[in-house]
Amino acid sequence: MINLSDDVEVDTILISNNEDFSANLKEILFFGASDFPPVENKWINIGSIKPSPNSGVHLLDLSKEDLPMVRYLKVNFKGPKDSEGLYCTLTHLKVFGR
C-alpha cells in the first residue's frame, strides 16, 4: 500500500524495474481508496499494466479515465502460474495527477 501526500485524481502511473535478476511479471494491478482502510474493504480498480519482459519502464496512462480522488494506492503483482518464490523488485514508482 502507498500513501500519497494528498487526495489526487490519478493521471499517470510510471513503474520501473531495473533489477537484472528479477522475475518477469504477468500483470501489475492498481487499486485506490480515499480512506484507509477502505469502507467495507472496497478498493477502486484504477487500471493494470501487462509489462513486456524486456522493458524496465512501464506506463499506465489514465488521462482519459474519469476516476475519483484517491489518497491510498494498492499494488498487486501477478506472476506466471505456479510462481512460488517470485522475486521482483521496484526501482521507481511515480504517481502523477491533479
Side-chain angles (χ1 to χ4, degrees):
M1 199 227 10
I2 299 163
N3 182 5
L4 302 174
S5 62
D6 205 351
D7 290 347
V8 175
E9 183 181 344
V10 178
D11 182 284
T12 307
I13 298 175
L14 182 133
I15 191 167
S16 68
N17 174 4
N18 298 331
E19 175 64 46
D20 291 332
F21 300 103
S22 181
N24 291 326
L25 293 172
K26 181 179 174 183
E27 189 172 20
I28 304 170
L29 304 158
F30 297 92
F31 300 92
S34 58
D35 297 315
F36 186 80
V39 177
E40 297 180 12
N41 202 29
K42 292 187 179 179
W43 290 87
I44 301 162
N45 185 358
I46 293 178
S48 65
I49 298 173
K50 293 186 179 180
S52 62
N54 298 330
S55 175
V57 177
H58 310 290
L59 183 72
L60 177 61
D61 182 8
L62 302 164
S63 59
K64 295 179 181 154
E65 304 290 326
D66 186 23
L67 295 171
M69 303 286 272
V70 297
R71 182 175 291 238
Y72 301 94
L73 287 178
K74 180 169 82 167
V75 183
N76 287 352
F77 300 99
K78 291 195 173 193
K81 288 185 179 183
D82 302 326
S83 59
E84 189 173 322
L86 180 68
Y87 172 74
C88 180
T89 60
L90 288 181
T91 307
H92 296 286
L93 183 123
K94 295 180 181 182
V95 179
F96 301 94
R98 52 191 169 279

